[in-house]
Amino acid sequence: MNVHPTVFFVRDLILFNHLRRGGYVAKGFVFEPPDLTNSPIADLNEFQEQLCLLLASLHDNQRLQVQYFSDSDYKTELLRYQQETERFENVWTKRSRQRTVRALLAGNG
């Protein structure tokens, strides 16, 4: 038997099974963490500590759902790389970087 809950949308909240015992409320948030790729260890540790605090702050009747995705559109970064390349004076470096940009932009759509 496939039972679907009653769902209401109220002020940016999703309300399942009414406001009574057995019902629950959900709210979505968008969180975009900073790019910590080249960050010092201290920054990485601080970010991890903050994530641990977030998880520790959840009560027994609370849940956290996480959806992760990565955006593969690097066109803005590639165009900036291309502009920087134009300022180079070394012919071989410039030619190599231009070839890289062309190849990546062709593959990036």
Side-chain angles (χ1 to χ4, degrees):
M1 180 175 188
N2 199 1
V3 179
H4 298 285
T6 305
V7 179
F8 301 95
F9 296 94
V10 181
R11 295 186 186 179
D12 296 331
L13 300 172
I14 304 174
L15 181 65
F16 297 91
N17 292 334
H18 304 282
L19 279 176
R20 61 176 178 240
R21 187 178 296 269
Y24 50 99
V25 177
K27 170 117 174 109
F29 296 93
V30 174
F31 169 68
E32 295 184 27
D35 181 6
L36 299 172
T37 304
N38 296 313
S39 296
I41 297 295
D43 290 348
L44 296 173
N45 289 339
E46 181 180 346
F47 185 70
Q48 179 183 356
E49 286 176 18
Q50 291 189 10
L51 286 177
C52 289
L53 285 172
L54 170 66
L55 295 174
S57 71
L58 296 174
H59 298 281
D60 290 339
N61 62 345
Q62 294 177 321
R63 302 291 179 266
L64 175 68
Q65 179 181 356
V66 177
Q67 182 179 8
Y68 172 82
F69 70 94
S70 179
D71 184 3
S72 61
D73 181 11
Y74 299 108
K75 189 171 185 174
T76 303
E77 289 81 5
L78 288 172
L79 292 174
R80 181 179 51 78
Y81 182 83
Q82 186 178 28
Q83 287 174 346
E84 290 176 6
T85 299
E86 296 305 320
R87 294 195 310 254
F88 280 56
E89 294 181 16
N90 184 296
V91 176
W92 293 106
T93 302
K94 193 171 186 175
R95 186 178 297 165
S96 175
R97 286 176 62 113
Q98 288 171 336
R99 187 180 314 129
T100 300
V101 169
R102 279 194 304 272
L104 291 173
L105 284 174
N108 205 8

